[in-house]
Each structure stands twice: as structure tokens, then as C-alpha cells.
Amino acid sequence: MRYKILTAAFAAAVSSPFAAPASAADLEVAHWWTSGGEAAAVAELAKAFDATGNKWVDAAIAGAGNTARPIMVSRITGGDPMAAFQFNTGRQAEELIEAGLLRDLTDVATKENWAQVIRPASLLEGCTVDGKIYCVVVNIHSWQWLWLSNKAFADAGVPVPTNWDEFVAAAPALEAAGKIPLAIGGQPWQTTGAFNVLIPAIAGKDVFLKVYKDHDAEAAAGPEIAKVFKAADDARRMSAKSNVQDWNQATNLVITGQAGGQIMGDWAQGEFQVAGQVAGKDYTCLPGLGVNELISTGGDSFYFPKLDDPEKTAAQDVLASTMLSPTTQVAFNLKKGSVPVRGDVDLAAANDCMKKGLEILASGNIIPDTNQLNTEDTNNQLNDLFVEFFKTPTLTPEEAQKRFAAIIAAAD
Amino acid sequence: MSRPKQLFRNLNAKIASIPMILTAVVIFVGGTAWTVVHSFTNSRLLPRLNFIGLAQYERLWTTPRWLISIENLLIYGSLSLIFSLLVGFILAALLDQKIRFEDTFRTIFLYPFALSFVVTGLVWQWLLNPDFGVQSVVRSMGWESFTFNPLYDKDLVIYGILFAGLWQGTGLVMCLMLAGLRGIDEDVWKAARVDGIPMWKTYLFIVIPMMRPVFVTTLVIIASGVVRVYDLVVAQTSGGPALASEVPAKYVYDYMFAAQNLGQGFAASTMMLLTVAIIIVPWAYLEFGRRR
């Protein structure tokens, strides 16, 4: 499957030069959106860009960011850049910008007044280096969601929980009914993500910021984080039987009622939508695990490498403004399950879960995403720690916390 | 006076080999030196010459994942050396008994070697998958409680990978051994038979010592393959469950590219180079040093 998509992507990239219209340009856009909901969302961007007379050449790289990013970076540093590429909003492109490989978009940004329309303002800060803007933020994704299958709880004969503690308490009943209480895929970033969601929910926003923003090793070794590790220990027991790899396979366990719930970002919403499920009726979403209602403002951004061809450079500007136009923002984000970055768009079509997210966003109870705070190096070390923790019942929470504190102490 | 003559002797051949010499010096030696130098820096996504001493190595040797990788490499390496030599030699000795259909058997045994490690890994991932591999076949035949699930067991997973590696590589070892056996003079066998020495003793005390060069070459081929094992693990388990089947080459890749920390990846690859050097240098000394 993976190879099929790759081959298709390559085929698309290779065949594109021959289909070029005379005046407009073909832009190759690289991203890692390949699941059902994601592919539907990216098709909206492509449609909007094609409508401007240019051509979107899709270069999807399957296998999530950790697989796709090295491929994109090696193409850019190797002197064969694509016209645009997706990274997570945050520090991932830091060095590419410093090395002068990416285009400065400040002109487009001032012309279209991004500073006014993009909210929260912290999103644009992530794109800004030395006062210049280098990326287009296309959406806001938050990690802090617990997705619950109403069917699984009905089968187990317990009410659908309203917070994390009730969920932990309901786990034995779910297990007795032959369900996996908590679905977590085997990919390392999923376990790290789940832990990072537990931090603000259990220990609060301030501890989260102390650990990840100030990289305060003492806080990381402190009693608040010890509580988080205890909760992670519960999560470990509840997820012991989930033996799927990809996040959407884990989501599918929740959709089909084989698992009670999943801690996953709001992109999981797209999967429920593709499966025709209705929020509140078929599934329930608890932002901040129902304990501490806040969301993080991560997401995806598009960056534009410097190109020699002036026609393509002009088309890059068109693409940048297309991605931020109100209509594209609504169409794209509804499919993607994320929140638009513009505050001035009409979201009447949003479902219950998305409305909850919008309310929290408006209330200002937000935290930065770990991608905005940590380097990829730190994130990878955390991945190594948590994937081992979640799969090794003999690794005690205390020992894991010691390692966690060491990683935070070394982070920059 | 004779020196310049030496230099210009066979000039055409020397000119013709310049591209290869350049490739070897610039790409292999130069690239290696560049990597080693940058392993002492704090390079992240892009290489930078900002030296930080041995910090990358200190971090490397306190990282649990690297230690697991080294342990796995030792298990995988020593067992695959022992078993591929043993099985390869026994198969070769059996084929050497002037049996019928020797060509057919040789082809069958060598065939897995024609497959890449990626294909090998995927095939064995499926065979060892509990839901549609060996376990489900045995269960469908009526033995319901049969459990055979090495790839999802942290303690067994490295042996599951070892098995796939042996299946792929033993055929080549067998062919090398067979070539070595064919190189033994028929008269040696005749003499042993006249003296009434049993066959196993002839193999053990006469033939094997005579095959020493073949053994050494085979050993180096297997060992260098072991150090760089990567694709097999990626295809079969991608390092899981948890970190139980991680190997050093995968650590290098993950930290160089996914973690955007070139310095750490270079430090790890320098350690791998050191391992290979430890294997190759004594061998080169034994093989080429003696002749002078």
C-alpha cells in the first residue's frame, strides 16, 4: 500500500512537465496527508489552486512526518527543491530558514494583512524569523482530545465517561466485554503524544510550560510530573492489548466499537467523518481529557523553497494566498477536522466537537504545541522513551521519570 | 634514477585508474574523514563546524536505545556467524557427496539470496504474523492453543529477525563453502581413505584446516553484512515492539534524518566504523600482511 502511494506520487511528479499549460506554472507540493480524511482535505487545496489556472502536482509521501521530513529535507538541501512543502507548525524548518533555503513571504503577508486575520497571533510568530515571515499556517490542530466510542460503552453496560478518571474506572468493564479500553498505535509519536496530552490535563498548564518551554529539569523530576507518570501507567495497562501500528487503524478500532477510546489529535475527527459517524451520537469527544479544557495550537504550515524559475516563484505567491483565502480555509479545515487560522470565517457547518474547540480557542485557554517548543531531536528522544515505556510493563514510572528529566535537562 | 621510470611504467593503466582512485580517496576516505570530524560538532539539520568535544559520544553511550541496539547487534551477529557457517558448511558437505540433482538443490538453497532484505523481511513478517502466518495455519488445523508469535514478543523478536537473515544468507555461505570443498584435491580424500580415517575426522582435521582462506573470506562477508543490517529490521519490525529490535544502523538513520541531529548520527556511525575496523584490520593483516 505504502509503495503504491509512493509510486503514484513519483509517477505524478515525473509526468507533470509534459502536461504544463503555456502561461501558468506547475507547482509540486509535498505533504504527508494520505489517510482518508487527510486526502479529502488536501484535494480541496488542490482544487482551489487549480482554479487559479495553475496546476497542483501532488507529491504525497506516506508514512507520517518522520518518514516524509527527511525525504523533503534531502531534496531541498540536495538542490532539487519542490515548490512547496508541509511541515508541522514550529521549529522543524528553523535551520532551513537560517541557511537561506526558503523564500521570504513578507510581501504577500503584508499585502494580505496576515498579521490581522491570523489568530491566535502566536501562530504567525512560529513563521517569523528576524521579523520576516517564512510560512503559511493553514490550520490549527490540537492534540488534547479523548475520542470515545459510544457503542463500546453501551456494549460494556457502563455510561460514557465524562473525564479521564471515569474512563480509567470504566476500563475493567470494557475489558470484561472483550474491548480494548484504550487504543494506541505502535508508532512512537503516538505514545509521546498521549503523554504530552496527559501533562496539561493532570498537572496543569503551568507545569506543561515549565517542562517544555523553560526546559526546567526540576519540574520534570517533580511530584506533579510523577502524577502524570502514574496516569501514563494506567494508560499503559489499558492499551496493552492494542496491537495496531498506524493512528488511523487505532481510530478505526474506536469507530467500530472494538476499543473504548483513543487519545489523539483532532485530525482523528476526519476519520469519524469519513466513516459517517455523528459527534454526540456515535462518538464523544472530550477536550483536555474532560479534566482541564484547553487545546494546543499546533498544526501544519507550508514553506516555499527558493526556486530559479520566476514563473514558479510567482505561482508560489498565488498558492500562498490561495491557502489562506476564507473559502479555501473553510473547505479544507472541515474535511481535515482542524480549525481555520482565520477568525473571520463562517463555520456554521462545523460539528459539535469542532465547535467545542472553537469555544476553547476563543476563551484563550491555549498552549503552544510541543513542535513549537521542542526541537525534533528532543521529540525523538521522547519518542524513544515513551514507546519503550508503553510496551515494557517492567519499566517503572519512577525510572521513566528519571530518564524524562534527563532528556528535558539536555533540551535546548 | 630508476624511480621516475617506475612511475611512468604502464602509464596508460595508471591514467585509466585515476577516476577510481579519485572516487576511493574523495568519496570513501574523504567522506569518512568528514563524518568523523563532524561527529565532534553540534551539527543539527545542516552540518556546522562548531566543536563540542566528546559530548555526542557521551550522550550516545548513555542512551538506552543505543545500548539496546548494540546488544541486539551482538546477539544477531554472533548467532548469525555461528549458524550460517555451520549450516552452510553442512549443506555444502552434503551437496559434495556426488548426489543426483546437485544443481537443482544448489539453486533452491541459493535462491533466497536473490531476494533483497526488504522482500525477505516482509515475507517473514507475514509468515510470523500471528493472524495469518504460521500460528494461524497450525490453529486452523485444530491445535487451538498453539502460540508462535516471535515478532510481537520483546524477548524473541531478535531471533525472528535472525531466522529471516539466516534463511536469506545461508545459501551464499553454502556456495562459497562448496567452492572451497571442490578446491580440495581428490588425492587428499584418497589418502585419507587408504589410511582408514573416518569421513567426519577427515572433514574436521584435514579439509577444514585446508579451507582456511575460504572460511576467513566468508567470515568477513558475513560480519560486514551483520554490522550494517538495517533494511531487514525496517521491513520486518521497524524496530519494535517498543525498541526491542533496534540496530545501530537504524539509530544512525533515525538521528541523522528524522531527529535532525547530524552530530549524534555521525557519532553513532563513527562507532560503527570502529566496529568494522576491528573486524577488518586483523583480517587484512592476517591475509595480506603475511605474504611480505
Side-chain angles (χ1 to χ4, degrees), chain A residues 99-121:
Chain A
L101 291 164
L102 302 183
R103 264 194 70 203
D104 170 9
L105 299 170
T106 317
D107 289 346
V108 192
T110 26
K111 205 173 73 196
E112 307 213 331
N113 207 8
W114 290 2
Q116 297 300 312
V117 294
I118 292 179
R119 60 84 226 252

PDB file of all heavy atoms in Angstrom, chain A residues 99-121:
ATOM      1  N   ALA A  99      19.598  28.819   6.894  1.00  0.00           N
ATOM      2  CA  ALA A  99      20.539  28.559   5.802  1.00  0.00           C
ATOM      3  C   ALA A  99      20.130  29.289   4.522  1.00  0.00           C
ATOM      4  O   ALA A  99      20.804  29.184   3.509  1.00  0.00           O
ATOM      5  CB  ALA A  99      20.644  27.065   5.545  1.00  0.00           C
ATOM      6  N   GLY A 100      18.998  30.005   4.563  1.00  0.00           N
ATOM      7  CA  GLY A 100      18.584  30.784   3.401  1.00  0.00           C
ATOM      8  C   GLY A 100      18.031  29.953   2.261  1.00  0.00           C
ATOM      9  O   GLY A 100      18.090  30.365   1.103  1.00  0.00           O
ATOM     10  N   LEU A 101      17.466  28.804   2.569  1.00  0.00           N
ATOM     11  CA  LEU A 101      16.962  27.939   1.504  1.00  0.00           C
ATOM     12  C   LEU A 101      15.483  28.190   1.209  1.00  0.00           C
ATOM     13  O   LEU A 101      14.964  27.741   0.205  1.00  0.00           O
ATOM     14  CB  LEU A 101      17.157  26.473   1.884  1.00  0.00           C
ATOM     15  CG  LEU A 101      18.609  26.001   1.920  1.00  0.00           C
ATOM     16  CD1 LEU A 101      18.734  24.677   2.663  1.00  0.00           C
ATOM     17  CD2 LEU A 101      19.141  25.850   0.506  1.00  0.00           C
ATOM     18  N   LEU A 102      14.820  28.905   2.105  1.00  0.00           N
ATOM     19  CA  LEU A 102      13.376  29.094   1.941  1.00  0.00           C
ATOM     20  C   LEU A 102      13.045  30.540   1.614  1.00  0.00           C
ATOM     21  O   LEU A 102      13.775  31.466   1.966  1.00  0.00           O
ATOM     22  CB  LEU A 102      12.656  28.670   3.225  1.00  0.00           C
ATOM     23  CG  LEU A 102      12.912  27.227   3.658  1.00  0.00           C
ATOM     24  CD1 LEU A 102      12.096  26.897   4.879  1.00  0.00           C
ATOM     25  CD2 LEU A 102      12.608  26.257   2.536  1.00  0.00           C
ATOM     26  N   ARG A 103      11.907  30.722   0.941  1.00  0.00           N
ATOM     27  CA  ARG A 103      11.524  32.059   0.488  1.00  0.00           C
ATOM     28  C   ARG A 103      10.904  32.884   1.597  1.00  0.00           C
ATOM     29  O   ARG A 103      10.122  32.401   2.413  1.00  0.00           O
ATOM     30  CB  ARG A 103      10.526  31.947  -0.661  1.00  0.00           C
ATOM     31  CG  ARG A 103      11.188  32.036  -2.013  1.00  0.00           C
ATOM     32  CD  ARG A 103      10.129  32.269  -3.053  1.00  0.00           C
ATOM     33  NE  ARG A 103       9.552  33.592  -2.975  1.00  0.00           N
ATOM     34  CZ  ARG A 103       8.347  33.893  -3.444  1.00  0.00           C
ATOM     35  NH1 ARG A 103       7.601  32.972  -4.000  1.00  0.00           N
ATOM     36  NH2 ARG A 103       7.896  35.126  -3.377  1.00  0.00           N
ATOM     37  N   ASP A 104      11.225  34.163   1.554  1.00  0.00           N
ATOM     38  CA  ASP A 104      10.657  35.123   2.475  1.00  0.00           C
ATOM     39  C   ASP A 104       9.299  35.561   1.892  1.00  0.00           C
ATOM     40  O   ASP A 104       9.219  36.038   0.765  1.00  0.00           O
ATOM     41  CB  ASP A 104      11.654  36.285   2.558  1.00  0.00           C
ATOM     42  CG  ASP A 104      11.098  37.480   3.282  1.00  0.00           C
ATOM     43  OD1 ASP A 104      10.013  37.350   3.863  1.00  0.00           O
ATOM     44  OD2 ASP A 104      11.763  38.523   3.255  1.00  0.00           O
ATOM     45  N   LEU A 105       8.235  35.365   2.662  1.00  0.00           N
ATOM     46  CA  LEU A 105       6.890  35.656   2.148  1.00  0.00           C
ATOM     47  C   LEU A 105       6.331  36.982   2.681  1.00  0.00           C
ATOM     48  O   LEU A 105       5.132  37.238   2.579  1.00  0.00           O
ATOM     49  CB  LEU A 105       5.927  34.530   2.526  1.00  0.00           C
ATOM     50  CG  LEU A 105       6.248  33.132   2.000  1.00  0.00           C
ATOM     51  CD1 LEU A 105       5.336  32.119   2.664  1.00  0.00           C
ATOM     52  CD2 LEU A 105       6.098  33.072   0.502  1.00  0.00           C
ATOM     53  N   THR A 106       7.209  37.808   3.254  1.00  0.00           N
ATOM     54  CA  THR A 106       6.722  39.015   3.925  1.00  0.00           C
ATOM     55  C   THR A 106       5.869  39.896   3.011  1.00  0.00           C
ATOM     56  O   THR A 106       4.865  40.461   3.450  1.00  0.00           O
ATOM     57  CB  THR A 106       7.908  39.832   4.469  1.00  0.00           C
ATOM     58  OG1 THR A 106       8.827  38.919   5.074  1.00  0.00           O
ATOM     59  CG2 THR A 106       7.456  40.830   5.507  1.00  0.00           C
ATOM     60  N   ASP A 107       6.253  40.004   1.713  1.00  0.00           N
ATOM     61  CA  ASP A 107       5.495  40.856   0.791  1.00  0.00           C
ATOM     62  C   ASP A 107       4.034  40.419   0.690  1.00  0.00           C
ATOM     63  O   ASP A 107       3.120  41.237   0.815  1.00  0.00           O
ATOM     64  CB  ASP A 107       6.138  40.820  -0.603  1.00  0.00           C
ATOM     65  CG  ASP A 107       7.460  41.557  -0.608  1.00  0.00           C
ATOM     66  OD1 ASP A 107       7.710  42.290   0.375  1.00  0.00           O
ATOM     67  OD2 ASP A 107       8.232  41.394  -1.574  1.00  0.00           O
ATOM     68  N   VAL A 108       3.834  39.121   0.453  1.00  0.00           N
ATOM     69  CA  VAL A 108       2.465  38.603   0.362  1.00  0.00           C
ATOM     70  C   VAL A 108       1.746  38.825   1.683  1.00  0.00           C
ATOM     71  O   VAL A 108       0.574  39.209   1.720  1.00  0.00           O
ATOM     72  CB  VAL A 108       2.481  37.093   0.046  1.00  0.00           C
ATOM     73  CG1 VAL A 108       1.089  36.627  -0.347  1.00  0.00           C
ATOM     74  CG2 VAL A 108       3.482  36.773  -1.046  1.00  0.00           C
ATOM     75  N   ALA A 109       2.467  38.597   2.765  1.00  0.00           N
ATOM     76  CA  ALA A 109       1.850  38.687   4.088  1.00  0.00           C
ATOM     77  C   ALA A 109       1.377  40.103   4.389  1.00  0.00           C
ATOM     78  O   ALA A 109       0.276  40.292   4.906  1.00  0.00           O
ATOM     79  CB  ALA A 109       2.831  38.226   5.154  1.00  0.00           C
ATOM     80  N   THR A 110       2.200  41.117   4.052  1.00  0.00           N
ATOM     81  CA  THR A 110       1.768  42.497   4.326  1.00  0.00           C
ATOM     82  C   THR A 110       0.631  42.883   3.398  1.00  0.00           C
ATOM     83  O   THR A 110      -0.319  43.543   3.812  1.00  0.00           O
ATOM     84  CB  THR A 110       2.924  43.500   4.167  1.00  0.00           C
ATOM     85  OG1 THR A 110       3.868  42.957   3.265  1.00  0.00           O
ATOM     86  CG2 THR A 110       3.593  43.780   5.490  1.00  0.00           C
ATOM     87  N   LYS A 111       0.723  42.440   2.132  1.00  0.00           N
ATOM     88  CA  LYS A 111      -0.319  42.795   1.172  1.00  0.00           C
ATOM     89  C   LYS A 111      -1.675  42.252   1.619  1.00  0.00           C
ATOM     90  O   LYS A 111      -2.692  42.917   1.514  1.00  0.00           O
ATOM     91  CB  LYS A 111       0.045  42.248  -0.213  1.00  0.00           C
ATOM     92  CG  LYS A 111      -0.598  43.024  -1.348  1.00  0.00           C
ATOM     93  CD  LYS A 111      -0.085  42.560  -2.709  1.00  0.00           C
ATOM     94  CE  LYS A 111      -0.645  41.207  -3.091  1.00  0.00           C
ATOM     95  NZ  LYS A 111       0.068  40.545  -4.172  1.00  0.00           N
ATOM     96  N   GLU A 112      -1.661  41.022   2.129  1.00  0.00           N
ATOM     97  CA  GLU A 112      -2.936  40.396   2.507  1.00  0.00           C
ATOM     98  C   GLU A 112      -3.228  40.526   3.998  1.00  0.00           C
ATOM     99  O   GLU A 112      -4.155  39.901   4.499  1.00  0.00           O
ATOM    100  CB  GLU A 112      -2.909  38.923   2.100  1.00  0.00           C
ATOM    101  CG  GLU A 112      -2.534  38.785   0.634  1.00  0.00           C
ATOM    102  CD  GLU A 112      -3.216  37.624  -0.015  1.00  0.00           C
ATOM    103  OE1 GLU A 112      -3.510  36.640   0.688  1.00  0.00           O
ATOM    104  OE2 GLU A 112      -3.438  37.689  -1.235  1.00  0.00           O
ATOM    105  N   ASN A 113      -2.379  41.283   4.680  1.00  0.00           N
ATOM    106  CA  ASN A 113      -2.668  41.619   6.067  1.00  0.00           C
ATOM    107  C   ASN A 113      -2.787  40.404   6.987  1.00  0.00           C
ATOM    108  O   ASN A 113      -3.711  40.299   7.787  1.00  0.00           O
ATOM    109  CB  ASN A 113      -3.974  42.430   6.089  1.00  0.00           C
ATOM    110  CG  ASN A 113      -3.994  43.329   7.297  1.00  0.00           C
ATOM    111  OD1 ASN A 113      -2.999  43.436   8.001  1.00  0.00           O
ATOM    112  ND2 ASN A 113      -5.129  43.960   7.534  1.00  0.00           N
ATOM    113  N   TRP A 114      -1.840  39.456   6.853  1.00  0.00           N
ATOM    114  CA  TRP A 114      -1.907  38.237   7.660  1.00  0.00           C
ATOM    115  C   TRP A 114      -1.898  38.535   9.147  1.00  0.00           C
ATOM    116  O   TRP A 114      -2.548  37.855   9.925  1.00  0.00           O
ATOM    117  CB  TRP A 114      -0.723  37.312   7.324  1.00  0.00           C
ATOM    118  CG  TRP A 114      -0.812  36.704   5.978  1.00  0.00           C
ATOM    119  CD1 TRP A 114      -1.785  36.910   5.046  1.00  0.00           C
ATOM    120  CD2 TRP A 114       0.111  35.790   5.400  1.00  0.00           C
ATOM    121  NE1 TRP A 114      -1.526  36.190   3.927  1.00  0.00           N
ATOM    122  CE2 TRP A 114      -0.360  35.486   4.107  1.00  0.00           C
ATOM    123  CE3 TRP A 114       1.299  35.191   5.842  1.00  0.00           C
ATOM    124  CZ2 TRP A 114       0.304  34.617   3.249  1.00  0.00           C
ATOM    125  CZ3 TRP A 114       1.960  34.326   4.997  1.00  0.00           C
ATOM    126  CH2 TRP A 114       1.464  34.032   3.709  1.00  0.00           C
ATOM    127  N   ALA A 115      -1.135  39.559   9.513  1.00  0.00           N
ATOM    128  CA  ALA A 115      -0.987  39.854  10.943  1.00  0.00           C
ATOM    129  C   ALA A 115      -2.340  40.114  11.587  1.00  0.00           C
ATOM    130  O   ALA A 115      -2.541  39.855  12.769  1.00  0.00           O
ATOM    131  CB  ALA A 115      -0.075  41.056  11.130  1.00  0.00           C
ATOM    132  N   GLN A 116      -3.307  40.650  10.786  1.00  0.00           N
ATOM    133  CA  GLN A 116      -4.623  40.933  11.345  1.00  0.00           C
ATOM    134  C   GLN A 116      -5.533  39.718  11.322  1.00  0.00           C
ATOM    135  O   GLN A 116      -6.271  39.488  12.268  1.00  0.00           O
ATOM    136  CB  GLN A 116      -5.293  42.075  10.543  1.00  0.00           C
ATOM    137  CG  GLN A 116      -4.557  43.394  10.614  1.00  0.00           C
ATOM    138  CD  GLN A 116      -4.441  43.898  12.033  1.00  0.00           C
ATOM    139  OE1 GLN A 116      -5.423  43.920  12.772  1.00  0.00           O
ATOM    140  NE2 GLN A 116      -3.243  44.294  12.432  1.00  0.00           N
ATOM    141  N   VAL A 117      -5.494  38.945  10.228  1.00  0.00           N
ATOM    142  CA  VAL A 117      -6.506  37.892  10.089  1.00  0.00           C
ATOM    143  C   VAL A 117      -6.137  36.599  10.806  1.00  0.00           C
ATOM    144  O   VAL A 117      -7.021  35.844  11.192  1.00  0.00           O
ATOM    145  CB  VAL A 117      -6.808  37.591   8.601  1.00  0.00           C
ATOM    146  CG1 VAL A 117      -7.454  38.788   7.937  1.00  0.00           C
ATOM    147  CG2 VAL A 117      -5.576  37.139   7.856  1.00  0.00           C
ATOM    148  N   ILE A 118      -4.863  36.343  10.974  1.00  0.00           N
ATOM    149  CA  ILE A 118      -4.499  35.058  11.575  1.00  0.00           C
ATOM    150  C   ILE A 118      -4.601  35.144  13.088  1.00  0.00           C
ATOM    151  O   ILE A 118      -4.061  36.037  13.715  1.00  0.00           O
ATOM    152  CB  ILE A 118      -3.078  34.638  11.145  1.00  0.00           C
ATOM    153  CG1 ILE A 118      -3.072  34.302   9.658  1.00  0.00           C
ATOM    154  CG2 ILE A 118      -2.610  33.441  11.957  1.00  0.00           C
ATOM    155  CD1 ILE A 118      -1.738  33.890   9.111  1.00  0.00           C
ATOM    156  N   ARG A 119      -5.311  34.207  13.661  1.00  0.00           N
ATOM    157  CA  ARG A 119      -5.429  34.184  15.118  1.00  0.00           C
ATOM    158  C   ARG A 119      -5.271  32.724  15.606  1.00  0.00           C
ATOM    159  O   ARG A 119      -5.669  31.820  14.905  1.00  0.00           O
ATOM    160  CB  ARG A 119      -6.769  34.779  15.565  1.00  0.00           C
ATOM    161  CG  ARG A 119      -8.033  34.076  15.047  1.00  0.00           C
ATOM    162  CD  ARG A 119      -8.407  32.906  15.900  1.00  0.00           C
ATOM    163  NE  ARG A 119      -8.721  31.754  15.061  1.00  0.00           N
ATOM    164  CZ  ARG A 119      -9.933  31.288  14.892  1.00  0.00           C
ATOM    165  NH1 ARG A 119     -10.930  31.840  15.457  1.00  0.00           N
ATOM    166  NH2 ARG A 119     -10.137  30.195  14.181  1.00  0.00           N
ATOM    167  N   PRO A 120      -4.755  32.420  16.758  1.00  0.00           N
ATOM    168  CA  PRO A 120      -4.087  33.365  17.655  1.00  0.00           C
ATOM    169  C   PRO A 120      -2.766  33.857  17.053  1.00  0.00           C
ATOM    170  O   PRO A 120      -2.180  33.180  16.215  1.00  0.00           O
ATOM    171  CB  PRO A 120      -3.836  32.516  18.895  1.00  0.00           C
ATOM    172  CG  PRO A 120      -3.798  31.118  18.421  1.00  0.00           C
ATOM    173  CD  PRO A 120      -4.721  31.047  17.249  1.00  0.00           C
ATOM    174  N   ALA A 121      -2.313  35.007  17.529  1.00  0.00           N
ATOM    175  CA  ALA A 121      -1.138  35.639  16.946  1.00  0.00           C
ATOM    176  C   ALA A 121       0.112  34.763  17.071  1.00  0.00           C
ATOM    177  O   ALA A 121       1.033  34.867  16.267  1.00  0.00           O
ATOM    178  CB  ALA A 121      -0.898  36.988  17.613  1.00  0.00           C
TER     179      ALA A 121
END
